[in-house]
Amino acid sequence: MSTTASEAQHRDDDRLSDPEWWRQASVYQIYPRSFADADADGIGDLPGITSKVGYLKALGIDAVWLSPFYPSALADGGYDVDDYRDVDPRLGTLADFDAMVSALHGAGIRLIVDIVPNHSSDRHEWFREALASPPGSAARERYIFRDGKGEQGELPPSDWDSVFGGPAWERITEPDGTPGQWYFHLFAREQPDFNWDNPEVREDFLKTLRFWSDRGVDGFRVDVAHGMAKDFSEPMPSKADLQALNTGTDGFVDGSHPFWDRDAVHEIYAEWRTVFNEYTPARTAVAEAWVHPDRRARYASPEGLGQAFNFDLLQADFDAAEFHGIITKNLAEAAASGASSTWVFSNHDVVRHATRYGLPATGPAEAGAIMANAGKAWLLAGGDPSVVDTALGLRRARAATQLMLALPGSSYLYQGEELGLQEVGRIPDEERQDPSFFRNPGVEIGRDGCRVPLPWTSDGPSFGFGAGGSHLPQPAWFGECSVEVEEAEEDSTLNFYRKALHLRSGLQGAEDLEWLPTGDDSVLAFRRPGGWISITNFGGAPVPLPEGEVLLSSAPLDGRDLPAATTAWLRG
């Protein structure tokens, strides 16, 4: 019997009222400047997202994660925020934001927004006030200002480097025109770090959390969640001392690093949790915390953010033993903390996994490093697409994604992976935008290749992204991977994702997993509640399928054999 419109709406309403919707959600990341452009200015916008809600609903996702949409100079792709409680006018207005939330909720889709609490933009009104105020003023206490070393304060307070290259301290000119203090920036110099020991900073972010929650936001993705609490007591350690801490053998795992993963950060998140729990259902959050696995659970605790990103599969090779170890360990950590696991292969910061999986193997000495390093090395070498075995990469990506979608926990997908998009490796230097490219020449190529605007149609000035061009150049082959083309192909990657996500929604049960014996080290199989079985062949030769009804396979089956680099779901 077909589902009526009222029944479908009732089902969507039930999904929106579930207080634990996030535990096993399928979340789709939108990088708004590259998703859909409604006003033909070459930049994606909020009305563009609203226009594609039907596409998102048909895909079968539970939630959208929206990367920064705030006013910004784009010194770091929007992660340099001018105003935390407004919309970049190039992307729309607050009214456009409200319309987007209404459309998503009307389709039964939740909304998670990026929040960037470690640093602001240097155009933020607070930082402008700090520059216009004297040393020791209340305005400067919202950030991290220090006097320089040397006879005239001409040397930075420490010799630390920023993540984007170059020194982590920037000297300012005082209001009277004299050389002045230095401010700390973990990332670009346009991103001064907040002083989270300042109660005013803490209170203002609580206000921001309520501002967006009141507008219907269901959760928050917390950028650099492990970097907010800091201790810059004198004497500050040297860069060499920090490198020793980063080995993961001493201070890095005990909270003693001066700015990464300090225990005090969890006091901040306890305050945030109080705000989240003011709402029904409670707002949720997920931490971007690149920390030692033994310290990840505190970010994901029910008293804190609730979830923390697990990037382990993203960094793993396409290897059965690696996958088995990572999955087993992360499920055990989740069970111990009361959180649910998160799984991800691609996002706005890394080379797309369909490309990573198609790069040449680097040999046993590099086992486990190919996913973390090979994509970066390929980009630095020129991003030659002829080096990539695109067919193998896509085949492995589909198999890995189908396995991931069968795991307990939440699955995070990045826009365009449902089209099987490859990384755009070759972008002219003059058209690049990522600050890491300009600040670390010869060391970093940047992340523009995974941020190229999506192709919606097979032709046109921007393959349907908008009526005008696109802010990053799109390669000619994008038309072959467009939504228009893939919707018409039954076995396309888009239709594969749609089938997998809709099946996942119906099959999902308790957060349990039982590993099944396979008799083959290159094959992983597990059973989920309800008789749902997932089996993945990581090897190079076909293997027999177990008994059961085949529900979906990532590549065509050969009778009852599971080909190489293929996942199948069965119901026993």
Side-chain angles (χ1 to χ4, degrees), residues 190-472:
E190 296 90 348
Q191 296 170 290
D193 281 41
F194 282 117
N195 171 19
W196 275 88
D197 288 333
N198 188 320
E200 192 175 2
V201 172
R202 294 198 182 204
E203 285 300 319
D204 197 68
F205 268 90
L206 297 182
K207 183 177 179 181
T208 294
L209 295 174
R210 290 188 177 99
F211 178 87
W212 294 113
S213 296
D214 290 344
R215 300 191 94 94
V217 164
D218 302 287
F220 299 87
R221 179 264 188 186
V222 185
D223 184 63
V224 197
H226 59 309
M228 294 148 63
K230 298 176 174 69
D231 180 6
F232 287 179
S233 302
E234 296 286 356
M236 295 187 204
S238 68
K239 179 165 53 177
D241 293 334
L242 292 186
Q243 289 172 343
L245 290 176
N246 281 330
T247 62
T249 58
D250 295 309
F252 191 68
V253 296
D254 69 5
S256 64
H257 195 286
F259 50 81
W260 289 134
D261 189 34
R262 296 187 61 79
D263 292 339
V265 77
H266 299 292
E267 299 171 11
I268 298 168
Y269 297 138
E271 294 177 351
W272 287 24
R273 173 49 57 188
T274 299
V275 172
F276 296 156
N277 290 345
E278 293 172 0
Y279 295 86
T280 304
R283 296 330 188 215
T284 188
V286 57
E288 183 213 24
W290 293 87
V291 300
H292 191 281
D294 292 343
R295 292 179 62 84
R296 187 184 298 146
R298 290 192 66 184
Y299 293 87
S301 73
E303 296 77 28
L305 295 175
Q307 279 190 320
F309 271 120
N310 151 28
F311 297 111
D312 298 348
L313 285 183
L314 184 152
Q315 300 178 87
D317 201 352
F318 187 77
D319 178 85
E322 277 196 76
F323 270 56
H324 183 276
I326 288 168
I327 293 166
T328 301
K329 186 175 189 300
N330 279 279
L331 290 179
E333 289 176 358
S337 69
S340 70
S341 293
T342 63
W343 311 103
V344 60
F345 287 114
S346 286
N347 61 35
H348 64 296
D349 282 335
V350 299
V351 172
R352 290 184 178 275
H353 66 293
T355 295
R356 300 197 310 265
Y357 284 141
L359 291 169
T362 53
E366 298 291 333
I370 181 171
M371 292 299 99
N373 300 324
K376 178 180 176 180
W378 170 73
L379 287 175
L380 284 170
D384 184 357
S386 68
V387 174
V388 183
D389 186 335
T390 55
L392 176 63
L394 180 58
R395 185 182 184 97
R396 286 176 168 176
R398 286 173 55 144
T401 297
Q402 187 173 337
L403 181 156
M404 180 262 280
L405 290 173
L407 294 173
S410 56
S411 302
Y412 281 78
L413 312 171
Y414 179 55
Q415 65 177 42
E417 72 171 80
E418 78 277 14
L419 303 176
L421 289 186
Q422 297 284 329
E423 184 84 359
V424 181
R426 287 183 166 172
I427 297 174
D429 289 357
E430 63 273 14
E431 296 195 62
R432 290 192 175 274
Q433 300 173 7
D434 192 335
S436 62
F437 169 74
F438 300 102
R439 291 180 169 88
N440 276 326
V443 178
E444 297 282 352
I445 287 297
R447 300 155 291 181
D448 295 318
C450 63
R451 300 177 179 184
V452 175
L454 295 190
W456 294 92
T457 59
S458 59
D459 54 20
S462 62
F463 298 107
F465 169 66
S470 63
H471 67 97
L472 284 167

Side-chain angles (χ1 to χ4, degrees), residues 318 392 395-396 520 522-523 537-543 562-566:
F318 187 77
L392 176 63
R395 185 182 184 97
R396 286 176 168 176
D520 188 329
S522 64
V523 179
N537 181 3
F538 289 86
V543 297
L562 184 69
T566 304

Side-chain angles (χ1 to χ4, degrees), residues 132-143:
S133 301
S137 62
R140 291 216 179 162
E141 286 302 309
R142 299 173 181 139
Y143 292 91

Side-chain angles (χ1 to χ4, degrees), residues 117-203:
N118 179 72
H119 49 263
S120 75
S121 160
D122 61 355
R123 306 196 314 176
H124 191 285
E125 64 177 356
W126 275 4
F127 193 72
R128 294 200 305 268
E129 182 184 354
L131 294 181
S133 301
S137 62
R140 291 216 179 162
E141 286 302 309
R142 299 173 181 139
Y143 292 91
I144 301 172
F145 281 86
R146 293 289 186 275
D147 293 332
K149 297 183 181 297
E151 291 185 8
Q152 304 297 325
E154 70 277 7
L155 299 176
S158 72
D159 64 348
W160 301 342
D161 292 329
S162 77
V163 173
F164 286 158
W169 296 91
E170 184 77 10
R171 196 175 195 186
I172 69 166
T173 299
E174 296 293 349
D176 63 4
T178 60
Q181 288 189 304
W182 299 72
Y183 69 86
F184 181 74
H185 57 93
L186 262 176
F187 296 91
R189 63 177 176 272
E190 296 90 348
Q191 296 170 290
D193 281 41
F194 282 117
N195 171 19
W196 275 88
D197 288 333
N198 188 320
E200 192 175 2
V201 172
R202 294 198 182 204
E203 285 300 319

